[in-house]
DNA sequence: TGACTATTTGAACAGTCTTTCATATAGTGT
DNA sequence: ACACTATATGAAAGACTGTTCAAATAGTCA
């Protein structure tokens, strides 16, 4: 038996006074059942979190959200302090992650936040400064 | 005048038929007002997003949330497929980011999700598969 | 078609993360 | 004090990311 389940066995013994092999197996099954079978949801979540967890991209999404309307790339450029190229890359990543939508109008490109991005920002806003 | 505001000037001209220097300045002021003065909130948000946007840490938080109770480190180890050390690092990072709480009992350490972590996961769950 | 615009794309470098191994800390029981 | 446990910490190596520059695409207007 691997050392990790030995530790778990000792924990269960402390908890309930006794512990047989079945108890360990049951606890392990119970814990493992919390892990998702298919990683599709988690993968999408991780992409969203990683994408939003970058200063430039986060700032752009905050800007779009605060504006409350779609913004043209040329409205974002003068406000965010990186190159046009970096902003284009950022918008592209955000779009791939499902956090903004894109609309073309001639040579202009307009971007707007999705509900998903808004929901994440709301969750953050409502729980800031809470240490519990 | 920098090329970025020239582009903005052309956009405003297209929108409203005309555009003077004041119009550009006003639009810029309006856009810039969306940026936060102090980066304290954003910094905390970025830390939370970056911390949760990693497979190991995300999996641990999902596990804690699904369990609905605090878990001992030795209950997490056998379920998550990285070294004990990596899990300890992950839990430490999550704690620093305000996403889990820690409780000591003898040599055992128990971790539990915070409201902040739960809120983010809920936001993700409620907006998955929405492409708008 | 050709000149000009707004935006995107690709390559490359610097910097940051994530993991592991080895070691350290702290708690318990003898 | 000692042996033994559970967990944490530090350093280091490889993988990954984010930015910039240079060049490409696509739309507009003459």
């Amino acid at each position: 038996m691997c050392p990790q389940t030995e530790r778990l066995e000792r924990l269960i013994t402390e908890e309930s006074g006794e512990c047989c092999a079945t108890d360990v197996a049951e606890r392990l099954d119970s814990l493992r059942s919390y892990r998702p079978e298919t990683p599709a949801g988690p993968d999408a979540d991780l992409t969203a979190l990683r994408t939003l967890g970058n200063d430039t991209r986060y700032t752009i999404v905050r800007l779009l959200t605060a504006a409350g309307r779609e913004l043209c790339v040329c409205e974002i450029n003068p406000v965010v302090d990186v190159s046009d190229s970096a902003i284009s890359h950022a918008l592209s990543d955000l779009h791939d992650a499902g956090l903004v939508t894109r609309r073309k109008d001639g040579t202009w490109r307009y971007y707007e936040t999705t509900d998903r991005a808004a929901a994440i920002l709301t969750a953050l806003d409502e729980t800031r400064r809470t240490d519990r």
Side-chain angles (χ1 to χ4, degrees), chain A residues 37-88:
Chain A
E37 322 68 40
T38 157
D43 275 357
D45 287 358
L46 283 170
T47 301
L49 292 165
R50 255 185 317 221
T51 303
L52 204 49
N54 162 265
D55 202 353
T56 300
R57 295 187 295 258
Y58 174 90
T59 301
I60 292 175
V61 172
R62 275 283 176 205
L63 187 62
L64 290 169
T65 304
R69 63 175 176 91
E70 61 180 9
L71 291 182
C72 177
V73 174
C74 72
E75 293 182 288
I76 300 171
N77 283 338
V79 182
V80 182
D81 304 325
V82 288
S83 69
D84 291 4
S85 177
I87 289 179
S88 183

